Amino acid sequence: EKTANAARLLAMSRDVADLHGRIVTLQKAATVTENEEKRRRRDHERNMLMLQRQLLAQKEEVTTYLRELEREVETLRREKSTRSSRSPTPGANGESPRSTS
């Protein structure tokens, strides 16, 4: 009976060692997975920041371009207004009067 108990204890200790090995392996895998997830999250955040910077730069470019267009339109309006105020009475040169809108 002592031999049978010793054999059972030996088998149990092997099972415990096997389970401990599995636990350690799973913990290592979980750590690797966690580190990969952290890396992915950092990469994603870095990419999002880069995209935000690009969008901001493009927005600034578009805003600058729109301001330039607005200035150009205003200049053209002033030129048109100046030309129409300098011309003699509308229709005097044979043209029909034009509306300024």
Side-chain angles (χ1 to χ4, degrees):
E1 190 176 310
K2 285 184 180 180
T3 308
N5 285 340
R8 261 186 278 159
L9 282 174
L10 185 60
M12 287 170 143
S13 87
R14 286 183 186 143
D15 289 345
V16 167
D18 182 50
L19 287 173
H20 177 70
R22 288 182 188 181
I23 289 170
V24 169
T25 301
L26 288 172
Q27 286 174 332
K28 286 180 183 177
T31 301
V32 168
T33 302
E34 187 178 315
N35 290 339
E36 287 175 357
E37 184 59 32
K38 285 178 185 175
R39 182 188 53 75
R40 276 192 214 108
R41 206 173 296 129
R42 276 194 314 267
D43 289 349
H44 176 72
E45 289 171 4
R46 190 178 322 115
N47 289 338
M48 291 302 289
L49 284 172
M50 185 177 65
L51 287 172
Q52 285 176 336
R53 284 188 206 114
Q54 287 175 348
L55 279 173
L56 185 60
Q58 288 174 347
K59 179 183 174 188
E60 289 172 3
E61 285 178 31
V62 167
T63 302
T64 301
Y65 181 67
L66 283 174
R67 284 188 189 123
E68 290 172 6
L69 285 177
E70 288 170 351
R71 281 192 290 265
E72 194 173 324
V73 165
E74 191 55 38
T75 301
L76 290 172
R77 282 187 181 143
R78 270 187 255 123
E79 288 175 2
K80 182 179 178 182
S81 172
T82 304
R83 269 185 276 141
S84 65
S85 67
R86 268 194 263 142
S87 67
T89 58
N93 56 1
E95 296 178 10
S96 60
R98 295 184 189 167
S99 64
T100 55
S101 55

